[in-house]
Amino acid sequence: MAKRKHRFTAKNADRHTLYQLSVQAPEHEVELLSRMYKRHTGKRALTLREDFCGTGLLCCAWADSKKDRAATGLDIDAPTLAWGHANNLTRLSAEAQSRVTLLEQNVLQPTPKKHDVICAFNYSYQTFKTRELLLQYFRAVHRSLASDGIFVLDLLGGWESRQTLKEPRAVGESKREGFTYVWHQASFDPITHHFLAHIHFHFHDGTKLKKAFTYDWRLYTIPEIKELLTEAGFVGLDVYWEGDDGEGGGNGEFERVETIHDDPGWNTYIVAKKQPPTAGSKDAARAARAR
Ligand SMILES: C[S@@+](CC[C@H](N)C(=O)[O-])C[C@H]1O[C@@H](n2cnc3c(N)ncnc32)[C@H](O)[C@@H]1O
């Protein structure tokens, strides 16, 4: 049989596979979450809840990273969870699979089980467009965390995040193996901060998968998020900023900062703590130095 010229085309490509290849870096996130929790408690994080988990890729990487780790993913979309079960979960050993639970559940409902770490990535919580709903979500997270647990969210901002634009990025090592990921910011309303964006995929055979994913969000600011987290009961908050690659872009390395210069387009992590740092941890030592 003749070899296909392009691995991905609009006809054969699967949007979840393309998404995972384009935007997700689960091993990096496992390392980052582990580091954030250790710093706060001095202990290793064992249980993760991934909110808006989609295909549960991060849950799988978490369970696969250490034999004593367990992960629970929450998402309201049954077909996406089923895809994750068939394509991500089944790649793990049977033993590791037994430590992952993917639940069809609204993140606004607290889970009875308490977690060391809860995360909400890909800015998904911005689907809650009112203060009341976002506060309800943060309160549900607070109730679902262990007493020394942390909640980690990512956030995007900077003036470029409010512009209408299309940002193409090549994915894959070669034309045969690759495709183009296009981030399309379609609209932003400065009065409501409502923001509409799409992901399109363009293929090297000339075909396209338009609007493979659509995001209808309210773009929150860091102070708004901080205020709502505090109102929900979180006592300490850290902001992790991405380092510079020397060419105007980010280098993928995130460090905690107190203040930062403005940036045209940024992506940050916010870490919210349920209680003050555990005695003996790095964070406790830092707090003592600051007194
Ligand atoms: C963009 S995906 C996030 C995928 C993954 N977390 C990541 O970091 O790339 C957003 C997911 O949030 C889910 N979702 C939206 N509202 C939700 C809610 N209220 N509760 C649970 N999941 C929700 C959608 O079904 C979708 O799968």
Side-chain angles (χ1 to χ4, degrees):
M1 205 168 69
K3 238 182 166 184
R4 258 208 324 264
K5 204 165 164 220
H6 299 289
R7 180 171 163 211
F8 297 105
T9 73
K11 227 174 170 183
N12 68 22
D14 177 290
R15 68 186 188 121
H16 293 300
T17 303
L18 300 171
Y19 177 86
Q20 291 190 172
L21 289 169
S22 308
V23 303
Q24 293 201 273
E27 279 77 22
H28 163 80
E29 282 167 348
V30 167
E31 191 278 320
L32 192 68
L33 294 172
S34 307
R35 181 156 60 96
M36 288 163 167
Y37 182 81
K38 180 92 194 260
R39 198 167 189 161
H40 179 58
T41 63
K43 296 189 300 184
R44 286 177 51 239
L46 299 180
T47 53
L48 171 75
R49 193 182 91 183
E50 182 191 8
D51 287 357
F52 310 95
C53 70
T55 61
L57 189 64
L58 177 57
C59 285
C60 292
W62 183 265
D64 209 26
S65 66
K66 300 274 182 223
K67 291 214 171 316
D68 53 358
R69 282 184 159 168
T72 303
L74 303 188
D75 202 286
I76 43 169
D77 192 55
T80 303
L81 288 169
W83 189 100
H85 199 278
N87 294 277
N88 291 332
L89 198 59
T90 52
R91 284 176 200 260
L92 301 183
S93 69
E95 189 282 321
Q97 284 185 40
S98 72
R99 291 182 277 109
V100 177
T101 311
L102 298 181
L103 288 178
E104 186 185 339
Q105 184 180 315
N106 195 320
V107 298
L108 292 173
Q109 305 304 322
T111 41
K113 195 168 168 264
K114 308 287 184 213
H115 295 85
D116 294 335
V117 180
I118 297 181
C119 68
F121 287 161
N122 201 33
Y123 327 113
S124 308
Y125 57 91
Q126 298 191 111
T127 188
F128 301 129
K129 289 186 183 167
T130 64
R131 223 183 156 280
E132 290 71 25
L133 264 181
L134 191 57
L135 181 59
Q136 188 186 335
Y137 169 52
F138 288 170
R139 285 195 167 128
V141 170
H142 191 268
R143 281 179 57 189
S144 311
L145 273 175
S147 55
D148 56 0
I150 60 168
F151 174 39
V152 185
L153 318 85
D154 59 3
L155 183 62
L156 78 167
W159 59 91
E160 281 175 2
S161 69
R162 287 169 234 134
Q163 291 170 344
T164 50
L165 55 80
K166 279 188 184 159
E167 223 170 52
R169 174 164 53 82
V171 180
E173 297 289 302
S174 63
K175 274 202 162 177
R176 211 193 88 73
E177 289 296 314
F179 56 91
T180 303
Y181 158 91
V182 183
W183 173 246
H184 176 194
Q185 295 176 187
S187 67
F188 173 77
D189 178 342
I191 297 177
T192 59
H193 269 224
H194 288 177
F195 168 88
L196 188 71
H198 310 286
I199 292 177
H200 314 293
F201 297 106
H202 295 181
F203 304 99
H204 294 305
D205 68 347
T207 57
K208 293 178 180 176
L209 194 59
K210 287 188 177 174
K211 297 188 181 172
F213 295 92
T214 289
Y215 303 98
D216 185 3
W217 291 331
R218 164 174 166 184
L219 276 197
Y220 283 93
T221 64
I222 298 179
E224 284 170 322
I225 297 287
K226 280 185 146 187
E227 283 163 16
L228 286 169
L229 285 167
T230 305
E231 213 171 315
F234 289 93
V235 297
L237 296 166
D238 287 334
V239 173
Y240 279 69
W241 211 259
E242 191 175 8
D244 208 320
D245 67 358
E247 292 170 12
N251 65 2
E253 301 293 325
F254 287 81
E255 293 301 335
R256 196 180 50 207
V257 294
E258 300 288 340
T259 61
I260 195 79
H261 57 82
D262 204 2
D263 200 312
W266 47 258
N267 171 42
T268 189
Y269 290 98
I270 296 175
V271 184
K273 289 104 182 258
K274 192 164 176 175
Q275 69 178 26
T278 312
S281 67
K282 271 191 178 178
D283 272 0
R286 176 178 66 127
R289 278 196 305 276
R291 275 198 291 270

